[in-house]
Amino acid sequence: MMMNNVQAVNDALMYEMGRDPTVMMMGEDVGREGGVFRATTGLQQKYGKARVVDTPLSENGIVGTAVGLALNGMKPVAEIQFSGFVFAAYDQLISHASRMRQRSMGRYHVPMVVRMPFGGGVRALEHHSESDETIYTQIPGLKVVAACTPTDMKGLLISAIRDPDPIIFLEHIRLYRAFREEVPEGEFTLPIGKARVALQGNDLTILAWGAMVNVSLEAAKQLQKEGINAEVIDLRTLKPLDKEAVLNSVKRTGRVVIVEEAHRISGFGSDLGAIIAEDAMLYLKAPIIRVSGYDIRFPLYKLEDEYLPDPHRVAVAAKEVMNF
Amino acid sequence: MIDDKYLYRLEKGETFHILDQDGSANELDPKLPPDVLLKIYRMMVQARAFDEKALKLQRAGRMGTYPPLSGQEAVQIGSAFALDKSDWMVPSYREAGAMMVKGVPMKLQYMLWMGNDWGNRIPDGVNCLPVSIPVGSQTLHATGMAWAANVRKEKNAFLCYFGDGATSRGDFHESLNFAGVFQVPAVFLCSNNGFAISTPVVLQTHAETIAQKAIAYGIRGYRLDGMDVLASYVLAKDALDRAKKGEGPTLIEALCYRFGPHTTADNPDLYREKEEVERIKKEKDPIARFRNYLVKRKLWDDQKEKALIEEIDRLVDAAAKEAEKAPVPTFEDLVRNVFAETPPYLEDELNYFKKVSGGGKP
Ligand SMILES: Cc1ncc(C[n+]2csc(CCOP(=O)(O)OP(=O)(O)O)c2C)c(N)n1
């Protein structure tokens, strides 16, 4: 069926809740209203108020009780309305969700998913455009997924729900309704921890996730006109990272541009750069370049285009590594 | 000083009010001088006009997401009038009316919702924080600021606004707890408009009222008719006066209703009956209620009303136009405001920005 990302998320939840009675959906406005992005539309009508729950307005409450629900036999899927509001729940993510398995030495585990919209580019309010994926990837015991296409959204979300460990499932706001594609109906999963080659090329490797995949593809189109064939890799999962896919591509092209929407300092891109420097140093023909957000607070929307990496900036960086 | 019989107790949940819908006042009427009453009325009308204009601007694509306040004019304007100039206001994102009373120009507030960062630059001398978008987070700042006033022996009071949804967050409970323990001069004003986006207040708390939560923190709690501007003024004034006298914090739950959507991005038809909204608008409009009072006191008539509306429409239009023309910060302005002194790495980022964007638009 043709679907956009919101519909793909909805389809994944519908399917998995139908298959597994322990799956629960919870969050602010997810029930009656179907969520502010309508990703949970129709779920409460189908599965009832006990399993699709409008919670009180408390991110810490949502995540903390989800830990408890997961500890006692449920598989909660918690929605954080916008990722910019998850910070009050950090204690629960860091101190409990992520470490329950290790600190109980395998006795307890927390099979939960925290879904959250992230990223900018839709003229949103303050705190509605953050990309703070690095803060999640720093937490041992959390997996971090940041899918881009409707097919990946569906396949990875179902896998995330079935995964026995806590997963942060990031959904880019700008991609929710950006495009549609044919998505497999019914049972369909994709492995967590596997990247996707979004575009094949031999001259350089562009690494991206979320909306930056599309920005990179756009840049690749421009570069093609100048005779440069970029390979674009959509990481899909930041943690665990598909190191093999990254290194295979980098070893072949010898040139790397990393594109991320997040702030530059200590961004996930820094990690990618370090991994490549450690494991593929002798294959590199040019320094690795990062294109990123800046180390300022995400501006209100009149200036958001200046903050966000765009195809032009990616192309400039690509030419720099080509001409080194 | 307000009689203790109005203090919220579990067994008697009356609502503090002064005006009936027909404009008759009970014995608590503060009998404010006519010029003050007319100023209050004027600001209520202005808040409504500001709001309606914002909705139009948003629909025309000239403004981003905006959180409308119509229906909440009484609680906002009444309470804000109770503040002295040296008192502080700590608003949520829905307090445009209260903020204009405090002295934040309409133009700035439009600029903010038009995505212009300069809109958050509160003018010097206006004791008001910028709007807080994360729900309820500002309650802790109010407590901290009020605590500082105690430490510094300043006789200011602090008025903090938030919604019913905010009362579910730890921040709210922590702020009341600290406020009680340290007996700070803060007033916490919850505008309970019945909903947090689509979530009704019964899914926010199983308690009968929000006011009663004050009991757990050992502070005063009141339930206010938030559609009654005189009651909002009197109760806020009383709480602020007590705060300044060192009698500690107060929680006020103001019952009100928002006539419009949660924000312009919302579709209230998914969770509210249109008929209910129309009925409440007709029966409980806080502006109509206060106008009835002014007419009864022979301070107001149709002619004055017409002249006021025309004048305010002009002011609001002018504010919107100026906001649209107002300069937007440069990228450098943003960079320079991250720290007091810009560190080298940000200088590098600024130079890079200039290189890739030709020094301005990319
Ligand atoms: C911490 C946090 N979580 C979620 C949101 C998204 N959100 C914005 S307003 C809102 C509802 C707030 O309701 P309430 O506190 O009753 O205030 P009202 O908007 O009704 O004035 C929500 C969930 C937010 N801004 N901040």
Side-chain angles (χ1 to χ4, degrees):
Chain A
M1 214 164 60
M2 292 296 281
M3 286 182 202
N4 61 24
N5 272 346
V6 176
Q7 291 163 325
V9 167
N10 188 265
D11 190 58
L13 292 168
M14 276 286 180
Y15 179 79
E16 201 54 13
M17 289 192 80
R19 198 190 67 92
D20 179 351
T22 66
V23 177
M24 257 178 88
M25 182 68 222
M26 59 195 291
E28 293 155 15
D29 305 292
V30 299
R32 183 146 180 197
E33 194 194 40
V36 291
F37 289 104
R38 312 288 181 254
T40 55
T41 297
L43 285 175
Q44 193 177 64
Q45 282 88 325
K46 185 134 188 213
Y47 298 112
K49 287 186 178 167
R51 284 179 67 202
V52 182
V53 185
D54 280 320
T55 63
L57 199 166
S58 166
E59 286 70 19
N60 193 39
I62 293 165
V63 173
T65 57
V67 171
L69 283 158
L71 283 169
N72 198 17
M74 300 304 292
K75 288 190 183 153
V77 180
E79 177 178 292
I80 299 296
Q81 206 157 70
F82 289 89
S83 69
F85 301 126
V86 75
F87 303 107
Y90 261 87
D91 182 37
Q92 287 296 331
L93 285 175
I94 295 178
S95 309
H96 303 289
S98 61
R99 63 195 291 155
M100 193 57 82
R101 185 185 292 278
Q102 190 191 334
R103 65 185 267 265
S104 68
M105 293 311 279
R107 170 73 168 83
Y108 300 109
H109 67 138
V110 178
M112 70 189 267
V113 177
V114 182
R115 292 181 39 237
M116 41 188 158
F118 80 113
V122 299
R123 289 167 50 108
L125 298 173
E126 196 185 354
H127 302 281
H128 288 68
S129 305
E130 343 298 300
S131 1
D132 287 318
E133 47 270 35
T134 316
I135 309 184
Y136 321 114
T137 57
Q138 250 283 317
I139 306 176
L142 284 189
K143 293 178 182 170
V144 181
V145 176
C148 169
T149 68
T151 302
D152 290 358
M153 276 291 165
K154 173 165 177 182
L156 286 166
L157 182 52
I158 293 180
S159 295
I161 298 170
R162 294 180 190 176
D163 196 283
D165 288 308
I167 295 192
I168 304 292
F169 196 86
L170 297 166
E171 301 164 9
H172 202 288
I173 294 171
R174 183 146 50 125
L175 297 178
Y176 264 146
R177 294 171 203 279
F179 61 98
R180 295 152 71 87
E181 67 178 10
E182 193 62 33
V183 175
E185 271 172 76
E187 172 73 24
F188 172 64
T189 59
L190 285 169
I192 286 167
K194 285 270 168 274
R196 167 180 78 102
V197 179
L199 179 73
Q200 284 184 340
N202 292 319
D203 294 335
L204 79 151
T205 301
I206 303 181
L207 301 174
W209 57 96
M212 290 302 110
V213 174
N214 290 1
V215 167
S216 302
L217 288 171
E218 205 44 52
K221 238 191 256 162
Q222 290 177 19
L223 291 165
Q224 236 153 33
K225 288 188 200 130
E226 300 176 44
I228 301 170
N229 290 317
E231 175 143 303
V232 178
I233 297 196
D234 172 2
L235 296 180
R236 299 203 283 201
T237 306
L238 301 184
K239 199 176 170 186
L241 175 71
D242 190 350
K243 210 163 131 175
E244 206 187 326
V246 171
L247 293 175
N248 282 345
S249 177
V250 170
K251 285 178 179 172
R252 199 156 39 73
T253 64
R255 294 185 159 89
V256 188
V257 172
I258 298 165
V259 188
E260 67 182 325
E261 193 172 322
H263 311 296
R264 188 173 187 77
I265 292 186
S266 307
F268 191 72
S270 313
D271 235 54
L272 288 171
I275 288 168
I276 294 165
E278 280 169 356
D279 291 353
M281 162 86 169
L282 294 180
Y283 295 84
L284 290 180
K285 298 175 199 151
I288 302 162
I289 295 193
R290 285 173 295 158
V291 177
S292 69
Y294 299 96
D295 289 295
I296 61 172
R297 170 179 78 65
F298 196 97
L300 298 189
Y301 70 76
K302 292 239 181 198
L303 288 188
E304 75 176 347
D305 289 344
E306 309 203 351
Y307 175 91
L308 287 168
D310 59 6
H312 169 69
R313 274 168 65 190
V314 177
V316 168
K319 280 183 255 179
E320 231 170 290
V321 301
M322 291 308 296
N323 298 330
F324 179 73
Chain B
M1 204 118 304
I2 292 180
D3 196 312
D4 267 0
K5 77 177 179 192
Y6 292 104
L7 199 61
Y8 188 82
R9 295 205 184 81
L10 277 176
E11 66 276 15
K12 51 184 197 137
E14 298 130 80
T15 301
F16 184 81
H17 75 279
I18 292 175
L19 291 176
D20 284 339
Q21 197 59 33
D22 70 2
S24 41
N26 65 21
E27 72 285 358
L28 297 165
D29 185 349
K31 305 248 164 50
L32 295 170
D35 62 316
V36 176
L37 291 170
L38 294 180
K39 267 192 211 148
I40 290 175
Y41 185 67
R42 182 190 174 88
M43 290 315 280
M44 290 176 84
V45 172
Q46 184 173 309
R48 176 77 52 95
F50 173 93
D51 206 49
E52 285 169 356
K53 179 78 184 179
L55 287 168
K56 281 192 202 125
L57 289 167
Q58 197 279 336
R59 272 188 226 110
R62 289 158 65 191
M63 185 179 276
T65 308
Y66 168 80
L69 66 89
S70 285
Q72 300 184 203
E73 293 90 348
V75 56
Q76 290 194 21
I77 309 297
S79 60
F81 262 88
L83 288 167
D84 290 331
K85 188 162 190 307
S86 60
D87 292 334
W88 279 83
M89 175 177 290
V90 183
S92 86
Y93 45 77
R94 206 184 291 288
E95 261 68 59
M99 288 171 76
M100 61 181 75
V101 173
K102 190 67 186 142
V104 181
M106 288 193 284
K107 171 187 162 186
L108 275 188
Q109 303 202 51
Y110 279 144
M111 280 163 62
L112 174 66
W113 303 114
M114 286 173 178
N116 182 339
D117 287 81
W118 283 129
N120 252 336
R121 176 66 170 82
I122 304 292
D124 292 344
V126 177
N127 289 353
C128 180
L129 292 194
V131 308
S132 188
I133 301 280
V135 166
S137 48
Q138 71 277 18
T139 55
L140 283 162
H141 311 152
T143 296
M145 290 178 84
W147 186 0
N150 272 354
V151 176
R152 295 170 49 178
K153 303 203 178 356
E154 284 176 357
K155 286 276 168 229
N156 298 332
F158 295 76
L159 179 55
C160 180
Y161 295 88
F162 49 93
D164 41 303
T167 67
S168 294
R169 297 200 67 227
D171 292 11
F172 163 79
H173 297 279
E174 290 157 17
S175 65
L176 291 197
N177 192 40
F178 271 60
V181 167
F182 298 109
Q183 285 295 294
V184 309
V187 178
F188 299 92
L189 180 42
C190 174
S191 298
N192 178 359
N193 60 23
F195 287 92
I197 309 190
S198 74
T199 308
V201 69
V202 292
L203 293 182
Q204 224 47 261
T205 178
H206 196 60
E208 192 191 337
T209 73
I210 286 166
Q212 77 194 52
K213 292 176 192 272
I215 296 168
Y217 299 106
I219 68 178
R220 287 183 301 280
Y222 296 93
R223 218 172 191 217
L224 165 71
D225 180 345
M227 311 286 263
D228 175 345
V229 71
L230 288 183
S232 301
Y233 170 82
V234 168
L235 190 55
K237 182 106 177 61
D238 186 72
L240 290 163
D241 286 347
R242 291 206 203 199
K244 281 185 251 195
K245 277 199 209 128
E247 291 177 28
T250 302
L251 170 65
I252 297 173
E253 173 188 12
L255 295 177
C256 47
Y257 200 84
R258 67 169 149 80
F259 293 158
H262 167 74
T263 68
T264 48
D266 175 37
N267 174 13
D269 294 347
L270 290 172
Y271 56 84
R272 280 197 326 202
E273 297 295 335
K274 271 206 179 84
E275 296 75 50
E276 177 190 271
V277 182
E278 288 313 314
R279 181 173 52 75
I280 292 179
K281 263 191 198 168
K282 223 186 265 144
E283 291 173 4
K284 294 217 152 114
D285 186 338
I287 297 184
R289 186 188 295 194
F290 190 48
R291 190 192 305 123
N292 291 342
Y293 170 81
L294 295 177
V295 170
K296 263 199 171 57
R297 289 197 51 182
K298 307 230 179 333
L299 292 170
W300 204 246
D301 56 35
D302 287 349
Q303 213 182 329
K304 286 183 180 149
E305 175 83 6
K306 192 163 164 268
L308 179 69
I309 302 256
E310 278 170 11
E311 188 200 339
I312 280 179
D313 281 347
R314 271 198 307 278
L315 289 178
V316 165
D317 283 348
K321 281 211 187 77
E322 281 174 41
E324 281 186 305
K325 278 191 295 196
V328 176
T330 62
F331 186 78
E332 180 158 5
D333 290 333
L334 299 181
V335 169
R336 296 280 173 229
N337 281 303
V338 177
F339 296 107
E341 208 173 304
T342 306
Y345 76 86
L346 274 178
E347 296 288 355
D348 290 348
E349 292 189 13
L350 188 57
N351 289 333
Y352 164 80
F353 174 82
K354 286 177 180 160
K355 193 179 81 181
V356 290
S357 67
K361 295 265 167 242

